[in-house]
Structure formats: structure tokens, C-alpha cells
Amino acid sequence: MGFTIKKGILYILLIILAATCLLPFTLMIVNATRSGAEISSSFTFIPGTHLKENWDILFGYFNLFRGMFNSVLVAVPATLLGAYFSALTAYGLAMYKFKGNKVIFGAILTFMMIPGQLSLIGFYQLCTKLHLVNSYIPLIVPAIAAPGTVFFLRQYILSSLSPSLVEAARIDGSPEIYTFHRIALPIISPAMATMGIMGFIGNWNNYLLPMIILNKNEKFTLPVMMATLRASIDAAKNQGATYLAVAISVIPILLVFCFFSRYIISSISAGAVKE
């Protein structure tokens, strides 16, 4: 009886927590249907009647779907390449004992502590000399070298991938790259999916670097386009349109999260060991 009561209390607390987490999303969707004056004057969860007006204002400033397409061109390659090469690097640091291993790992930890904003001026000058301004290459290539992802995956490999599996594959004559793809990747795929979610969200919401590198409207990513709307003269009037843009921009992130969440669960189930 006591266990049932505790379980019921736990479920109630979880429902309250879930409802609290959903409140900002609900408010965002509701405000997307209201005018700027209504948003400034009152607070409500009842949808308004200005959705079409906000839609017209939004597309009067920029093509939202063009911005989403530009963000996809940056976020998807950066996420996939970053997850793959970070896993490859982490596998090498975890499975190979060579001179300088700890030095390289220490350098990775050091780079994790250095804010990327410190190198913005030098990075922009480098892109200028290489004629990469208004190109997506400076937004994709640096994202591949992700020290935080390498650190996380290395620790995951050390805790989940037994060196005996790799040694057995070597004894059987398996090439190292084949061992990585057929043995290591299926085991660390849950960690890669987790970092893939975080990497995609970070690349999708990246604002500072695209704002510096890109200066053509047709190449703007979605966060840069949305910043132009927030910085407009009628910023107060355009609050509803801003909420609408944010609500639409969140959809790809939710889709990626749902997809990778299912992938995490299936990977854990597939990798379970039965005694």
C-alpha cells in the first residue's frame, strides 16, 4: 500500500514537471497567434486571431523557409561530420597506447576551456585571406573539431567498449577501420546520438559566427534572419511575428530530437548482453 502511494506521488510530480516544461512551448505557440499590442498588454494561454497577419509580417521581412534551408545546409553536415570524426578521434585516444596520447588529450581538455569568441577576429581575417567570406565552409569545418564531443565519446568508449573485443578482431585479421565501423560504432552509437542532438541544436542555433561570416541576405541562416526581425524599427509591433518565426524554427529541432531519442533506445536495447 505504501509503495503504491509513493508511486502515485512520483507520477504526480513527473506530470507537474512535464507540464512545467511544456508551458514555454505552449506560450510560444499562443503568442504566435496574437498581435504585438496584445502580447505587450496581457498574458494568456488563449490563442489569438492574428496568425495570418503575423505570417504576412514575417515573410515581408525575409523568406523563412530559405533561412531554414540555409541552416540545414550548415547544421546537417557539421553534425554528421562532427559526430563521425569525433568518434574516430575518441576511439584512437581510447584504444591506442602511443607516446603523446596524454599530451593530446590534455590539449583537447585545454581547448574545451577556451571560449571560441577569443579567436573570432583572427578567424575572420583567415577567412578573408582564403576568400571564404559568404561561404558555409567556415561554419561547417571548424564544427567538425569538437573537443567536448571527443572528450565525452572517449570516456564513453573507455567505460563501454572492452579492449578484448578489439584484440579479438585484430587476431581474426580484421583491418582497424573495419573494426571501428563494425564493432566500435554499434556500441558507441547511443553516445553519438546524444552528442548528435546537442551538436545539431548548437549548429542550428549558431548566431555569432554566421553573422560575422555571412553578409548576403540570400545566404543568411535562420538565427541571423530572425535577428533582423527583432532589430527592426517595429520590433514591438512584430512580437507576434517573432514568436511565429521561433515556433517554426523549433520544429526541425524537435524532429531531430524525436528521431535520435528513438535511436538511442533501440541502440541500448540492441546492445544489451544476456547472460
Side-chain angles (χ1 to χ4, degrees), residues 37-49:
E38 291 175 343
I39 295 173
S40 301
S41 61
S42 63
F43 175 84
T44 180
F45 285 101
I46 301 175
T49 59

Side-chain angles (χ1 to χ4, degrees), residues 26-195:
T26 305
L27 185 61
M28 175 182 64
I29 295 173
V30 169
N31 285 340
T33 64
R34 304 173 69 206
S35 66
E38 291 175 343
I39 295 173
S40 301
S41 61
S42 63
F43 175 84
T44 180
F45 285 101
I46 301 175
T49 59
H50 297 271
L51 179 61
K52 187 179 183 306
E53 178 184 340
N54 292 334
W55 182 274
D56 294 336
I57 292 174
L58 178 61
F59 279 85
Y61 278 90
F62 54 80
N63 188 334
L64 182 69
F65 297 118
R66 178 65 187 181
M68 293 180 71
F69 178 73
N70 292 342
S71 292
V72 167
L73 290 179
V74 173
V76 172
T79 302
L80 295 178
L81 294 174
Y84 176 77
F85 285 103
S86 295
L88 198 62
T89 305
Y91 176 79
L93 292 174
M95 291 292 109
Y96 294 96
K97 306 303 178 184
F98 56 90
K99 192 174 181 179
N101 186 309
K102 293 184 178 179
V103 175
I104 295 175
F105 184 64
I108 291 174
L109 293 179
T110 303
F111 283 120
M112 287 177 59
M113 303 174 190
I114 300 176
Q117 291 83 354
L118 294 179
S119 61
L120 276 178
I121 297 177
F123 183 72
Y124 179 77
Q125 292 175 345
L126 176 63
C127 292
T128 303
K129 292 181 180 179
L130 295 176
H131 304 287
L132 292 177
V133 176
N134 281 316
S135 171
Y136 294 139
I137 294 178
L139 305 179
I140 297 174
V141 174
I144 298 175
T149 305
V150 173
F151 171 77
F152 179 84
L153 292 178
R154 177 185 178 273
Q155 300 307 112
Y156 188 90
I157 290 173
L158 290 175
S159 63
S160 62
L161 179 59
S162 174
S164 60
L165 289 175
V166 179
E167 291 296 335
R170 289 171 181 166
I171 292 173
D172 290 338
S174 172
E176 293 296 326
I177 194 68
Y178 183 85
T179 301
F180 171 73
H181 286 127
R182 297 304 297 269
I183 296 177
L185 275 186
I187 294 176
I188 67 175
S189 56
M192 291 181 64
T194 302
M195 299 311 295

